[in-house]
Amino acid sequence: QVQLVESGGGLVQPGGSLRLSCAASGNTFSGNAMGWYRRAPGKERDLVASRTFGGSRNYADSVKGRFTIFSDNAKNTMYLQMTSLKPEDTAVYYCYGDFGSTSSYTRYWGQGTQVTVSS
């Protein structure tokens, strides 16, 4: 079992920055792929950023150049650095982690954290 705990959401003005954290605990010794989804009010859940099992990083077009996904392996924590935030970035952000191998893995989810971009 793996537990993912998110933190770092909040209210920020347009143009501001936030850093979301996703701390993993439990059986995290296998390979993993991790990333972030978000769900805005009345919209479908969208993939925002991801890091594959191979280490490649991918971003949604809407956040390229503004968001960065990175990890601190010593802390078993993944981050989403968000800059130049826009009102349309307002959403609940969920981290996920796929633990195992590319052919057989289990996906775990964080509890979600609210990000509100408003003046």
Side-chain angles (χ1 to χ4, degrees), residues 4 6 20-22 33-40 43-51 58-60 62-63 67 69 78-80 82 89-98 105 107-115:
L4 301 177
E6 299 180 40
L20 305 183
S21 301
C22 178
M34 300 185 76
W36 298 86
Y37 278 85
R38 68 185 180 187
R39 185 189 296 274
K43 294 188 177 180
E44 297 291 321
R45 185 180 64 181
D46 292 325
L47 180 62
V48 176
S50 64
R51 175 183 57 77
N58 301 293
Y59 299 92
S62 59
V63 305
F67 290 12
I69 185 172
M78 175 185 63
Y79 302 92
L80 184 68
M82 306 184 293
D89 294 319
T90 295
V92 178
Y93 285 70
Y94 299 90
C95 70
Y96 73 88
D98 296 333
Y105 62 86
R107 174 164 289 188
Y108 298 88
W109 292 93
Q111 80 280 10
T113 186
Q114 176 71 46
V115 172

